[in-house]
Amino acid sequence: QVHLVESGGGLVQAGGSLRLSCAASGSIFSLNVMDWYRQAPGKQRELVAHITSTGTANYADSVKGRFSISRDNAKKTVYLQMNSLKPEDTAVYYCHADQIYAFAKYDYWGQGTQVTVSS
């Protein structure tokens, strides 16, 4: 089993910054993709940013130019730097990772961390 633990959420004013971290532990062979998703009240969970094992990153249009995803493979940790935060960024942010082992793909989720942006 793999465990993902997020940290770094909180309350911030619009225009401010936060940095989320997600550390993986457990039966890790080789983590593949690591992502950040978010879910606002009454809305579906959406992909915010995505990074491959080789460092290729992609972002949702709504956060391009403001958020930056990175990962430290040695520490088995993925980060999300969030700048110029807006009230519409308010959501629970979830870390996700997957790995392929013995020809099967396994998906893992963190418990979520709340980000609240006040206007």
Side-chain angles (χ1 to χ4, degrees):
Q1 185 59 274
V2 173
H3 300 282
L4 302 179
V5 179
E6 300 107 331
S7 60
L11 173 64
V12 65
Q13 288 189 332
S17 298
L18 283 174
R19 188 190 193 210
L20 305 182
S21 299
C22 171
S25 63
S27 303
I28 296 170
F29 176 67
S30 178
L31 292 175
N32 185 25
V33 163
M34 299 187 82
D35 315 296
W36 287 96
Y37 286 74
R38 66 185 181 188
Q39 187 166 20
K43 294 189 177 181
Q44 289 190 329
R45 190 173 295 190
E46 63 173 352
L47 178 63
V48 175
H50 160 108
I51 187 166
T52 67
S53 58
T54 56
T56 299
N58 286 287
Y59 301 91
D61 287 343
S62 59
V63 306
K64 278 181 183 175
R66 299 188 298 122
F67 290 12
S68 177
I69 189 171
S70 61
R71 65 190 284 173
D72 184 329
N73 290 329
K75 294 183 178 179
K76 301 178 180 63
T77 299
V78 63
Y79 306 95
L80 186 67
Q81 178 67 44
M82 305 185 294
N83 300 325
S84 303
L85 282 161
K86 304 175 181 180
E88 51 263 44
D89 295 317
T90 295
V92 178
Y93 283 70
Y94 296 92
C95 176
H96 164 264
D98 68 52
Q99 68 176 346
I100 296 173
Y101 180 75
F103 305 104
K105 178 174 171 289
Y106 298 88
D107 290 279
Y108 310 104
W109 291 91
Q111 80 288 352
T113 185
Q114 177 70 47
V115 171
T116 303
V117 185
S118 63
S119 56

